[in-house]
Amino acid sequence: MFSFLRNIKEKDPAAQNYLEIILCYPGVHAMFFHRISSFLYSFKIPVLPRFISHFSRVVTGIEIHPGAIIGKNLFIDHGNGIVIGATAIIGDNVTIFQGVTLGGFSKNKVRRHPTIADNVVIGAGAKVLGNIKIGKNAKIGSNALVVKNLAEGEIVVAATADRIKGRDDIEYYI
């Protein structure tokens, strides 16, 4: 437990002390509820695990399916809008910023969400979709759409915004 808090304090320059992290970080609260819902889900208890994850989403703005497997020291920074799907697997020491989706394509009951290896950083707004693997120490930039495997240490970023000043068909882009 203390390594989890120490990890957040090391990664977040805004963190003043452990009490602040425990009381004021929605990622900490979301992980607390996830550990409980995941434990109950592993025993195939109906409804209650999903209700706990739903309650957690309402309270924290972070949606983590109880079936998701999450390693040690996940750091969720500014967690609002994060979605982690049912068959997602997240390794140790991963950092996820706001608005990230670890989602799937298929509606079939198969592995359909990504596997994230250790020490990965996923930037704000990134979407990692499908049954793909993200290698150790990879970095995914803000708003990137990732639908293919990433190798260990690989860095991917989204396209930058284009200027459209002077365009008559501006409504088309908005």
Short mmCIF file of all heavy atoms in Angstrom, two decimals, residues 30-42 48-49 52 66:
data_model
loop_
_atom_site.label_atom_id
_atom_site.label_comp_id
_atom_site.label_asym_id
_atom_site.label_seq_id
_atom_site.Cartn_x
_atom_site.Cartn_y
_atom_site.Cartn_z
N ALA A 30 -10.64 5.33 -6.93
CA ALA A 30 -11.07 4.39 -7.97
C ALA A 30 -10.37 3.04 -7.81
O ALA A 30 -10.99 1.98 -7.97
CB ALA A 30 -10.79 4.97 -9.35
N MET A 31 -9.08 3.06 -7.47
CA MET A 31 -8.35 1.81 -7.28
C MET A 31 -8.83 1.08 -6.03
O MET A 31 -8.91 -0.15 -6.02
CB MET A 31 -6.84 2.06 -7.21
CG MET A 31 -6.23 2.33 -8.57
SD MET A 31 -6.63 1.05 -9.80
CE MET A 31 -5.99 -0.41 -9.00
N PHE A 32 -9.18 1.80 -4.99
CA PHE A 32 -9.73 1.19 -3.78
C PHE A 32 -11.01 0.42 -4.13
O PHE A 32 -11.14 -0.77 -3.79
CB PHE A 32 -10.02 2.26 -2.72
CG PHE A 32 -10.78 1.76 -1.53
CD1 PHE A 32 -10.13 1.04 -0.54
CD2 PHE A 32 -12.13 2.01 -1.41
CE1 PHE A 32 -10.84 0.57 0.57
CE2 PHE A 32 -12.85 1.55 -0.32
CZ PHE A 32 -12.20 0.83 0.68
N PHE A 33 -11.92 1.08 -4.83
CA PHE A 33 -13.17 0.42 -5.22
C PHE A 33 -12.92 -0.71 -6.22
O PHE A 33 -13.58 -1.75 -6.17
CB PHE A 33 -14.15 1.44 -5.82
CG PHE A 33 -14.75 2.36 -4.80
CD1 PHE A 33 -14.55 3.73 -4.89
CD2 PHE A 33 -15.51 1.88 -3.74
CE1 PHE A 33 -15.09 4.60 -3.95
CE2 PHE A 33 -16.06 2.73 -2.80
CZ PHE A 33 -15.85 4.10 -2.90
N HIS A 34 -11.95 -0.51 -7.12
CA HIS A 34 -11.67 -1.57 -8.10
C HIS A 34 -11.15 -2.83 -7.41
O HIS A 34 -11.54 -3.94 -7.79
CB HIS A 34 -10.66 -1.12 -9.16
CG HIS A 34 -10.28 -2.25 -10.06
ND1 HIS A 34 -11.17 -2.79 -10.98
CD2 HIS A 34 -9.15 -2.97 -10.15
CE1 HIS A 34 -10.57 -3.79 -11.60
NE2 HIS A 34 -9.34 -3.92 -11.11
N ARG A 35 -10.27 -2.68 -6.46
CA ARG A 35 -9.73 -3.87 -5.77
C ARG A 35 -10.86 -4.66 -5.11
O ARG A 35 -10.87 -5.89 -5.15
CB ARG A 35 -8.68 -3.48 -4.73
CG ARG A 35 -7.44 -2.82 -5.30
CD ARG A 35 -6.64 -3.74 -6.19
NE ARG A 35 -5.39 -3.10 -6.58
CZ ARG A 35 -4.71 -3.38 -7.67
NH1 ARG A 35 -5.15 -4.32 -8.49
NH2 ARG A 35 -3.61 -2.76 -7.96
N ILE A 36 -11.83 -3.99 -4.53
CA ILE A 36 -12.97 -4.66 -3.91
C ILE A 36 -13.85 -5.31 -4.98
O ILE A 36 -14.18 -6.50 -4.88
CB ILE A 36 -13.81 -3.67 -3.06
CG1 ILE A 36 -12.98 -3.18 -1.87
CG2 ILE A 36 -15.10 -4.33 -2.59
CD1 ILE A 36 -13.61 -2.01 -1.14
N SER A 37 -14.23 -4.56 -6.00
CA SER A 37 -15.12 -5.10 -7.03
C SER A 37 -14.45 -6.25 -7.79
O SER A 37 -15.10 -7.25 -8.12
CB SER A 37 -15.60 -4.01 -7.99
OG SER A 37 -14.54 -3.52 -8.77
N SER A 38 -13.15 -6.14 -8.04
CA SER A 38 -12.42 -7.19 -8.75
C SER A 38 -12.36 -8.47 -7.92
O SER A 38 -12.50 -9.58 -8.44
CB SER A 38 -11.01 -6.70 -9.08
OG SER A 38 -10.30 -7.69 -9.77
N PHE A 39 -12.15 -8.32 -6.61
CA PHE A 39 -12.13 -9.48 -5.71
C PHE A 39 -13.47 -10.20 -5.76
O PHE A 39 -13.53 -11.42 -5.93
CB PHE A 39 -11.81 -9.02 -4.28
CG PHE A 39 -11.85 -10.12 -3.27
CD1 PHE A 39 -10.81 -11.02 -3.17
CD2 PHE A 39 -12.94 -10.24 -2.42
CE1 PHE A 39 -10.84 -12.05 -2.23
CE2 PHE A 39 -12.99 -11.25 -1.49
CZ PHE A 39 -11.94 -12.17 -1.38
N LEU A 40 -14.56 -9.47 -5.64
CA LEU A 40 -15.90 -10.07 -5.68
C LEU A 40 -16.18 -10.68 -7.06
O LEU A 40 -16.78 -11.76 -7.16
CB LEU A 40 -16.96 -9.03 -5.32
CG LEU A 40 -16.87 -8.45 -3.91
CD1 LEU A 40 -17.85 -7.30 -3.74
CD2 LEU A 40 -17.10 -9.53 -2.87
N TYR A 41 -15.76 -10.00 -8.12
CA TYR A 41 -15.96 -10.47 -9.49
C TYR A 41 -15.25 -11.81 -9.71
O TYR A 41 -15.77 -12.68 -10.40
CB TYR A 41 -15.43 -9.41 -10.46
CG TYR A 41 -15.70 -9.66 -11.91
CD1 TYR A 41 -16.93 -9.30 -12.46
CD2 TYR A 41 -14.73 -10.20 -12.73
CE1 TYR A 41 -17.17 -9.50 -13.81
CE2 TYR A 41 -14.96 -10.39 -14.08
CZ TYR A 41 -16.19 -10.05 -14.62
OH TYR A 41 -16.42 -10.24 -15.96
N SER A 42 -14.09 -11.98 -9.10
CA SER A 42 -13.34 -13.22 -9.27
C SER A 42 -14.09 -14.43 -8.68
O SER A 42 -13.85 -15.56 -9.08
CB SER A 42 -11.95 -13.11 -8.63
OG SER A 42 -12.04 -13.08 -7.22
N LEU A 48 -23.21 -7.21 -7.63
CA LEU A 48 -22.51 -6.38 -6.65
C LEU A 48 -21.20 -5.79 -7.18
O LEU A 48 -20.96 -4.58 -7.01
CB LEU A 48 -22.30 -7.14 -5.35
CG LEU A 48 -21.68 -6.34 -4.20
CD1 LEU A 48 -22.53 -5.12 -3.86
CD2 LEU A 48 -21.49 -7.23 -2.98
N PRO A 49 -20.33 -6.58 -7.84
CA PRO A 49 -19.10 -5.97 -8.35
C PRO A 49 -19.36 -4.85 -9.35
O PRO A 49 -18.70 -3.81 -9.31
CB PRO A 49 -18.37 -7.14 -9.02
CG PRO A 49 -18.95 -8.36 -8.42
CD PRO A 49 -20.36 -8.02 -8.06
N ILE A 52 -20.57 -1.75 -7.49
CA ILE A 52 -19.45 -1.04 -6.84
C ILE A 52 -18.67 -0.25 -7.88
O ILE A 52 -18.31 0.92 -7.64
CB ILE A 52 -18.54 -2.03 -6.09
CG1 ILE A 52 -19.29 -2.61 -4.89
CG2 ILE A 52 -17.25 -1.36 -5.64
CD1 ILE A 52 -18.59 -3.80 -4.24
N PRO A 66 -14.89 -4.41 -13.29
CA PRO A 66 -14.32 -5.31 -12.28
C PRO A 66 -13.48 -6.44 -12.87
O PRO A 66 -12.63 -7.01 -12.18
CB PRO A 66 -15.54 -5.88 -11.55
CG PRO A 66 -16.69 -5.06 -11.95
CD PRO A 66 -16.34 -4.33 -13.20
#
